[in-house]
Amino acid sequence: MKPKKLSFLEILDSYSAEESSLIPLLQDAQDEDGYISPEKVEGIAQHLKITESQVYGVASFYSQFRFTPPGRHSISVCLGTACHVSGGETLLNTFERDLEISPGECTPDGRFDLNRVACLGCCALAPVVKIDDDIYSKVNVIKLNDIIGLYE
Amino acid sequence: MNDLKVIKEKSLKEWQLLRHPDEPVIYIGMASCGIAAGAVKTKRVIQETLEKYKLKANIVEVGCIGTCYLEPIVDISLKDHPRISFGNVDEKRADYIIKKVLLEKDLTKTRPLGHLGPESYDGIPSLFEQPMLKPQVRIVTKNCGLIDPSNFMHYLANDGYTGLSTALKKEPVEVIEEIEAAGLRGRGGAGFPTGKKWRACYDMGSGPKYLICNADEGDPGAFMNRLLIESDPHAVLEGMLIAAYAIGASQGFIYIRAEYPLAILRLSKALKQMEEYGLLGENILDSGFSFSIRIKKGAGAFVCGEETSLISSLEGKRGMPRTRPPYPTESGYHGKPTVINNVETLGTVPHILRNGAAWYRQFGVAGNYGTKTFSLVGKIRRSGLIEIPLGTSLRQIIFDIGGGTQKEFKAVQTGGPSGGCIPAELLNTRVTYETLAEIGSIMGSGGLIVMDTDTCIVDVARYFLDFIQKESCGKCTPCRVGTRHMVEMLEKICSGEADPGILDKLESMAGLVKSTSLCGLGQTAPNPVLTTLRYFRTEYVEHVNNYYCPALVCRDLIEFTVIKEKCTGCQRCVSVCPTGAITGPRSEPHNLDTSKCIKCRACYEVCRFDAIAGNAIIITSKKNDEN
Ligand SMILES: Cc1cc2nc3c(=O)[nH]c(=O)nc-3n(C[C@H](O)[C@H](O)[C@H](O)COP(=O)(O)O)c2cc1C
Ligand code: FES
């Protein structure tokens, strides 16, 4: 068993009510179940004594935050420079076609969500794809099919 | 109070024992790159093999030495031979090597990369004789791949925290003088003299001050900071302590991108160790100096690597840049004097304090002293992280260290989205802040993306502009709107829909964005376009006038064909084609219907990589006049 995650209320309680808590708070809130629901925005706004639109204003600036539930597994395709010149886009397109979704979306059965990332820091082994916490290096179209099969 | 001296002696003994162990020691490279290459599986096989043969060994997880193309890397030391390094240790090789080395004590056929001992060993060359490592000067990466980054003793045993103890014996201003004398310049991109920055903050007198370590590493295709933190976190933290002591800061932050979970983990662990040994908190090492460090995770915005955006992000706001002056050294975090330094800059500081400014100045060239790390990636044979004295030529880096390209070399891109593409004619350029700027690029943080004739220069320019356009914070119009226009023009060129006059328009728009944007992001964004127009104009012209993409990359300008004579009829391509454009029965040459083809490259890649396919699919791009 993984250590129990803090509930949203416990997370709120662990932060003092100052503006500089906003981003870490959003990050922890998202960690809980993978996205930031309207209820959480409301809770954070109340806790920090700012408006909900201020919370949205900051959260929407950063690409890390998502406002819709993620899939059971998250696929991130690296489109950093090294991965771009080694065929990262072909991989993204293949996922898009196979899963019939665009980056930022989630499959209807909730199995996968698909994302583009700017660099995972494994550029020497490009192109790179990350699924949940696993990083796959030197990926090509053939490998993709095998990899996807590992995630249900 | 913990006595660092006592612990240090203990650490030296521990380290000595690792080098001459009673029981075999197996080191596995477990930085993100090693893990991505399969180091976790390798470790599992090693454990299973040890069990199978009832062998005992001590497994130590280390970081990355920088030869990423050889990952997973495993080293073994035995009582009677020095640490020996093996590359590309996949599951099969792991089992074989353990059996050979530990059980049969036979090194033949194990293809070692080299040994790490000072003494020469039995026909095996030193690891540092490897072509990728030999020309390097490893200062900031000295410990990377050699020590266990989560073991405080390992850092201590390798001169750890002696830079700090030297600094604490000096007056803060003397520390600044030492850094000034060393000529250290910021490694985050701009190359601003570090000592000068510290002095500006020092001169602000007493009162709250802050130190920020910039670990945002937003440059896509660069991983110097990740590798250093994952492989030797204490080096950066020791540098932070020295910097904070010099400028008089009592609170520090590490702003690190969320995409680096392992680096964050290593840092958190290292901070706990520092607290345990009295290296953080009140009255550090009885010097009267107090300091604490907090980790702040970035939230995925490239512009937050820029110092004023970073500060506003730390304050909990949108990461918008502001005009300077005032510089952060005057008015930074919450309006207080703040020094922001890059990870590598701070990682270099302990070495300078330990060995002196004169020692540091023996590396590099006048005005550009010391070493710089680069991530050498793209179409290069030996990819990874390297550290070289400034003044080394691009040719040496790419050909001597990197082993050249698979196909013919075309360009090297330095400086990330703010940098430029440098052509073969300029490969003799020596890498310094000034020379790179002279040829239209920048040093940047250290990304070196090598391109060969399979890379389309126009596509690369489009790629960078598209990146910047998406990352533009939108505060100023030239950057927000200008980069969008540039992307549109580049897209037209790539799809063969551009008018002949477009290159001039593109050039003048680039000039406008460069001269009128608010922050460094917009001011440097046109660089990839300007340098490629300067050095590779014919490639642009081919796209515009002849609808020809010489690298066979731009989708709208290429076609896929099956060469009947080569096709083995394996149907691999038929199964991956998403639109049913390829048809044909098994064992007979397949047919590709170009009207259905969406040019996704899937068939091409399958045909190239699959063993039973015949490499029968080719890409062509026709010149207009041949149509
Ligand atoms: C758009 C933009 C992005 C930047 N990204 C980074 C970065 O990821 N890491 C970094 O250290 N510096 C980055 N910088 C430079 C910082 O603003 C700052 O100059 C640097 O952190 C100072 O550290 P140094 O003096 O040690 O180099 C960026 C600058 C700009 C304009
Ligand atoms: S460019 Fe893909 S991991 Fe860096």
Side-chain angles (χ1 to χ4, degrees):
Chain A
M1 273 296 282
K2 282 187 178 172
K4 192 182 158 295
K5 282 188 179 169
L6 291 183
S7 75
F8 179 58
L9 286 178
E10 288 167 324
I11 293 169
L12 276 185
D13 265 353
S14 66
Y15 282 94
S16 56
E18 46 187 23
E19 204 181 356
S20 59
S21 303
L22 178 54
I23 294 170
L25 227 174
L26 284 164
Q27 286 169 329
D28 282 358
Q30 174 153 314
D31 270 351
E32 191 203 16
D33 55 1
Y35 78 113
I36 294 169
S37 62
E39 294 75 39
K40 285 185 187 165
V41 172
E42 197 188 324
I44 291 172
Q46 280 175 3
H47 185 75
L48 299 183
K49 300 185 179 65
I50 54 179
T51 64
E52 285 175 40
S53 64
Q54 275 174 301
V55 177
Y56 274 119
V58 170
S60 61
F61 181 84
Y62 298 97
S63 65
Q64 186 188 13
F65 301 117
R66 53 182 305 150
F67 302 100
T68 50
R72 287 197 296 285
H73 303 289
S74 290
I75 303 176
S76 302
V77 182
C78 179
L79 294 176
T81 321
C83 290
H84 176 78
V85 301
S86 314
E89 207 164 307
T90 306
L91 299 178
L92 181 67
N93 293 342
T94 310
F95 276 123
E96 285 180 73
R97 270 197 324 272
D98 288 357
L99 304 175
E100 297 178 354
I101 51 172
S102 303
E105 293 177 356
C106 180
T107 53
D109 62 359
R111 184 173 165 208
F112 289 115
D113 62 83
L114 181 63
N115 312 283
R116 35 173 33 186
V117 299
C119 177
L120 291 165
C122 296
C123 329
L125 303 166
V128 174
V129 169
K130 180 173 170 183
I131 304 187
D132 298 339
D133 290 331
D134 308 323
I135 296 183
Y136 296 91
S137 57
K138 298 192 183 163
V139 181
N140 58 41
V141 183
I142 311 175
K143 273 199 197 170
L144 270 196
N145 282 323
D146 301 345
I147 295 173
I148 284 201
L150 300 173
Y151 299 86
E152 260 320 308
Chain B
M1 183 85 249
N2 268 306
D3 195 344
L4 211 58
K5 264 205 196 106
V6 180
I7 304 159
K8 172 136 189 175
E9 255 158 51
K10 201 174 136 216
S11 78
L12 285 173
K13 277 197 197 117
E14 202 179 307
W15 184 249
Q16 208 50 31
L17 199 67
L18 268 187
R19 295 183 54 197
H20 303 282
D22 293 330
E23 200 167 79
V25 183
I26 302 172
Y27 303 82
I28 309 178
M30 288 281 215
S32 299
C33 37
I35 292 174
V40 174
K41 285 189 204 143
T42 298
K43 183 179 167 190
R44 204 188 47 227
V45 171
I46 289 177
Q47 284 165 330
E48 285 167 5
T49 311
L50 290 173
E51 237 165 77
K52 189 165 73 186
Y53 297 110
K54 308 234 167 352
L55 293 166
K56 277 211 165 126
N58 175 7
I59 294 183
V60 177
E61 292 184 13
V62 295
C64 175
I65 195 166
T67 51
C68 304
Y69 77 108
L70 294 170
E71 296 279 8
I73 298 174
V74 170
D75 303 347
I76 301 178
S77 17
L78 301 180
K79 197 179 181 76
D80 49 358
H81 73 60
R83 185 164 162 182
I84 292 176
S85 193
F86 303 88
N88 298 118
V89 187
D90 57 11
E91 290 154 273
K92 229 173 109 195
R93 218 163 111 69
D95 179 77
Y96 179 77
I97 287 175
I98 296 300
K99 203 170 78 197
K100 276 281 170 198
V101 181
L102 262 59
L103 199 66
E104 299 171 14
K105 311 259 184 234
D106 176 13
L107 283 168
T108 53
K109 294 201 194 145
T110 56
R111 287 184 284 124
L113 297 170
H115 73 78
L116 282 147
E119 57 280 354
S120 73
Y121 186 75
D122 216 16
I124 297 174
S126 160
L127 179 67
F128 295 100
E129 290 295 313
Q130 278 279 324
M132 187 175 189
L133 291 168
K134 194 171 182 187
Q136 297 192 38
V137 174
R138 294 164 57 90
I139 295 177
V140 65
T141 57
K142 180 183 101 160
N143 288 334
C144 295
L146 303 181
I147 67 166
D148 175 356
S150 55
N151 190 330
F152 182 68
M153 294 295 175
H154 285 196
Y155 184 66
L156 217 54
N158 285 279
D159 301 326
Y161 290 103
T162 53
L164 175 68
S165 47
T166 313
L168 294 179
K169 284 185 204 117
K170 295 177 188 271
E171 288 299 316
V173 73
E174 289 171 338
V175 175
I176 296 175
E177 281 161 9
E178 191 77 30
I179 296 296
E180 282 172 338
L184 176 64
R185 296 171 67 173
R187 300 300 189 223
F192 190 82
T194 305
K196 194 167 165 189
K197 189 184 275 189
W198 291 10
R199 189 178 285 274
C201 189
Y202 174 87
D203 285 345
M204 295 297 291
S206 56
K209 289 178 191 170
Y210 296 96
L211 172 75
I212 300 171
C213 169
N214 188 345
D216 199 41
E217 192 150 68
D219 179 358
F223 56 94
M224 301 75 49
N225 295 170
R226 169 189 71 69
L227 189 137
L228 181 59
I229 294 175
E230 284 180 359
S231 305
D232 196 14
H234 281 288
V236 181
L237 296 168
E238 183 179 356
M240 285 185 77
L241 283 178
I242 296 169
Y245 172 72
I247 63 173
S250 54
Q251 176 65 53
F253 296 100
I254 304 171
Y255 189 88
I256 180 163
R257 60 198 305 243
E259 287 86 345
Y260 288 174
L262 184 61
I264 296 171
L265 195 76
R266 292 271 199 266
L267 281 174
S268 326
K269 197 157 180 188
L271 287 177
K272 286 215 184 75
Q273 292 164 342
M274 290 171 76
E275 273 165 23
E276 214 172 291
Y277 294 107
L279 290 162
L280 273 185
E282 299 293 319
N283 191 20
I284 292 168
L285 301 181
D286 274 333
S287 62
F289 160 61
S290 304
F291 188 57
S292 60
I293 298 178
R294 276 160 64 186
I295 299 174
K296 290 274 191 167
K297 278 191 286 177
F302 175 69
V303 73
C304 287
E306 194 277 338
E307 52 192 28
T308 60
S309 306
L310 191 156
I311 289 173
S312 82
S313 175
L314 268 186
E315 291 169 347
K317 304 185 190 119
R318 296 160 70 95
M320 297 280 205
R322 61 159 177 79
T323 40
R324 303 170 304 178
Y327 287 91
T329 43
E330 240 174 89
S331 171
Y333 184 63
H334 288 313
K336 300 286 184 278
T338 303
V339 161
I340 302 191
N341 273 133
N342 172 260
V343 168
E344 185 180 341
T345 315
L346 291 165
T348 305
V349 163
H351 297 279
I352 295 176
L353 268 293
R354 210 173 280 157
N355 302 306
W359 166 85
Y360 191 69
R361 283 168 77 100
Q362 68 179 304
F363 308 105
V365 292
N368 282 265
Y369 294 110
T371 56
K372 170 87 195 79
T373 59
F374 290 94
S375 69
L376 188 55
V377 298
K379 305 290 181 72
I380 187 96
R381 282 174 205 269
R382 297 194 282 262
S383 57
L385 183 106
I386 60 165
E387 180 173 0
I388 45 140
L390 286 167
T392 307
S393 77
L394 286 169
R395 187 181 301 284
Q396 274 170 289
I397 295 175
I398 292 163
F399 289 90
D400 298 349
I401 297 178
T405 44
Q406 221 86 38
K407 294 208 172 164
E408 192 189 330
F409 172 87
K410 187 177 208 167
V412 55
Q413 212 276 347
T414 72
S418 314
C421 284
I422 302 167
E425 307 88 86
L426 294 173
L427 276 179
N428 289 336
T429 305
R430 294 179 174 281
V431 174
T432 68
Y433 289 94
E434 287 71 27
T435 47
L436 288 179
E438 269 162 34
I439 58 175
S441 190
I442 58 164
M443 174 82 80
S445 58
L448 284 182
I449 319 263
V450 180
M451 302 170 196
D452 65 10
T453 45
D454 275 349
T455 319
C456 172
I457 285 293
V458 187
D459 174 70
V460 167
R462 181 194 59 81
Y463 165 81
F464 279 121
L465 254 292
D466 184 56
F467 177 87
I468 290 294
Q469 196 264 318
K470 292 200 174 90
E471 292 292 341
S472 169
C473 75
K475 187 166 172 180
C476 72
T477 315
C479 177
R480 185 181 68 240
V481 182
T483 56
R484 198 167 65 227
H485 281 308
M486 290 174 71
V487 172
E488 282 164 7
M489 284 191 255
L490 287 159
E491 276 171 354
K492 277 193 181 150
I493 299 174
C494 289
S495 58
E497 290 165 3
D499 304 325
I502 197 158
L503 297 186
D504 297 330
K505 274 192 221 146
L506 181 60
E507 212 156 17
S508 69
M509 180 65 75
L512 188 73
V513 173
K514 195 178 171 91
S515 56
T516 55
S517 289
L518 174 67
C519 83
L521 180 84
Q523 287 157 9
T524 56
N527 285 352
V529 170
L530 289 169
T531 51
T532 48
L533 275 171
R534 182 159 149 199
Y535 299 121
F536 298 93
R537 204 175 185 99
T538 42
E539 197 162 332
Y540 278 90
V541 173
E542 289 283 14
H543 280 74
V544 176
N545 293 356
N546 302 323
Y547 312 114
Y548 175 56
C549 175
L552 307 174
V553 168
C554 292
R555 236 178 242 212
D556 295 315
L557 307 181
I558 55 172
E559 280 208 340
F560 292 74
T561 324
V562 179
I563 308 274
K564 297 256 180 281
E565 294 72 34
K566 280 182 147 187
C567 179
T568 60
C570 70
Q571 290 198 318
R572 290 284 201 271
C573 56
V574 176
S575 67
V576 297
C577 179
T579 62
I582 311 188
T583 48
R586 180 165 288 283
S587 305
E588 271 174 49
H590 300 331
N591 190 39
L592 196 157
D593 179 353
T594 48
S595 69
K596 284 190 188 162
C597 175
I598 55 167
K599 299 169 186 175
C600 68
R601 294 183 102 88
C603 60
Y604 175 75
E605 299 226 339
V606 167
C607 198
R608 206 157 52 120
F609 289 117
D610 198 284
I612 63 166
N615 201 2
I617 297 179
I618 58 157
I619 311 178
T620 51
S621 174
K622 282 215 179 74
K623 289 205 180 199
N624 196 22
D625 51 12
E626 289 165 8
N627 266 337

